[in-house]
Amino acid sequence: MVPWPIALLSLFYGVIATVSAATLWKTFSGASDRPLLWPAMWLALSSGVMCGLPLLKPWARGLAVAASALLVAITLAVAGVVVLAGRPLMALVAT
């Protein structure tokens, strides 16, 4: 049986994987002009965490910590760029 915190974390990364896959699909179908690097990276990272955590693999725990740290760093970087653009309230909304 999978402990409920690991199940919830797997569900969270499943949502990230789904959003990344949808973004990749939009890019491949021509509906969006975004670069493929970030959605592909998040899809690979979150899919690995989503599949490895419920199996209680030790590598998945390290991958989950790395993904969480990367998610925090990117969120704070985006908020910093928005603050530097002169919109601190929007930065608070972004984080």
Side-chain angles (χ1 to χ4, degrees), residues 59-77:
W59 56 265
R61 291 182 184 144
L63 196 60
V65 170
S68 295
L70 189 61
L71 187 64
V72 167
I74 289 174
T75 302
L76 290 177

Side-chain angles (χ1 to χ4, degrees), residues 2-12 49 52-56 61:
V2 177
W4 65 269
I6 291 178
L8 289 177
L9 196 57
S10 297
L11 182 65
F12 172 71
V49 172
L53 276 180
L55 297 175
L56 303 176
R61 291 182 184 144

Side-chain angles (χ1 to χ4, degrees), residues 19-75:
V19 170
S20 298
T23 304
L24 277 176
W25 181 257
K26 283 182 185 178
T27 304
F28 281 137
S29 66
S32 176
D33 291 331
R34 294 183 178 190
L36 290 175
L37 177 66
W38 287 107
M41 181 202 66
W42 280 114
L43 180 62
L45 189 65
S46 59
S47 295
V49 172
M50 179 186 65
C51 294
L53 276 180
L55 297 175
L56 303 176
K57 299 291 184 183
W59 56 265
R61 291 182 184 144
L63 196 60
V65 170
S68 295
L70 189 61
L71 187 64
V72 167
I74 289 174
T75 302

Side-chain angles (χ1 to χ4, degrees), residues 68-94:
S68 295
L70 189 61
L71 187 64
V72 167
I74 289 174
T75 302
L76 290 177
V78 167
V81 167
V82 174
V83 166
L84 290 175
R87 302 183 71 189
L89 186 61
M90 194 62 179
L92 185 62
V93 170

